Amino acid sequence: MRIIRTVIAGLLAALLGLSAFAAAPVQADQALPKRTITEEPPGDHQINFNTFKLKGSVLELQADGVTYLAYAAQKVQLQKKSCPQQSCHWKTVDQVTTDAAGKYKTKIFAPRTGRWKWRVKVKASNGYATTKGEIWTLFFS
């Protein structure tokens, strides 16, 4: 009976030890620095009735803590959410490539009825965490 308890306790300890290693990458991602996303409000750049231009730039803070470098020629995801609830997920609508200065521009749309929320997302890479831009809500009243 003691042997069985010892074996079960050893297996339980090994299982708990493995789960601690599995959770380590999630905590490590939170410690990574984020990129800086600056955007101009799309309401200032209306193209036509329901089309707006979203302009912004992505910069990376360097190790010295002072210098910013452009996130040049990289992919930026444009995401849309069409329901106001938290249960609704963000869907990637388009991928935009930044220019040499780290700037991007794309078109976003307002629906005839309801509300659409838009944001920009840059995936984690090169020692930086996933960064999400400001949320813009477009609708007609």
Side-chain angles (χ1 to χ4, degrees), residues 18-40:
L18 289 176
S19 66
F21 287 121
V26 173
Q27 295 170 352
D29 185 42
Q30 294 173 351
L32 294 175
K34 292 190 173 193
R35 294 177 174 93
T36 303
I37 298 176
T38 55
E39 297 172 328
E40 298 176 18

Side-chain angles (χ1 to χ4, degrees), residues 76-80 90-95 121 123:
V76 174
Q77 292 181 343
L78 178 66
Q79 295 184 326
K80 179 177 89 169
W90 289 95
K91 295 179 183 171
T92 300
V93 177
D94 193 12
Q95 282 195 353
K121 176 182 170 186
K123 286 189 172 183

Side-chain angles (χ1 to χ4, degrees), residues 42-53 107-110 112 138-140:
D44 297 344
H45 305 286
Q46 187 169 3
I47 298 172
N48 61 26
F49 173 68
N50 68 338
T51 308
F52 297 85
K53 188 179 287 188
K107 292 179 183 178
I108 58 176
F109 306 95
R112 293 190 182 271
L138 295 180
F139 63 96
F140 290 107

Side-chain angles (χ1 to χ4, degrees), residues 54-131:
L54 180 62
K55 297 164 102 178
S57 63
V58 182
L59 300 172
E60 298 176 341
L61 183 63
Q62 296 304 298
D64 62 3
V66 179
T67 310
Y68 282 93
L69 287 179
Y71 185 65
Q74 300 293 324
K75 299 286 184 186
V76 174
Q77 292 181 343
L78 178 66
Q79 295 184 326
K80 179 177 89 169
K81 183 176 176 179
S82 58
C83 63
Q85 296 87 8
Q86 294 293 341
S87 63
C88 183
H89 299 291
W90 289 95
K91 295 179 183 171
T92 300
V93 177
D94 193 12
Q95 282 195 353
V96 182
T97 304
T98 59
D99 63 5
K103 295 183 179 184
Y104 63 89
K105 59 184 173 182
T106 185
K107 292 179 183 178
I108 58 176
F109 306 95
R112 293 190 182 271
T113 60
R115 296 172 185 251
W116 286 349
K117 295 184 178 197
W118 297 88
R119 77 174 179 194
V120 172
K121 176 182 170 186
V122 179
K123 286 189 172 183
S125 64
N126 298 334
Y128 289 92
T130 299
T131 308

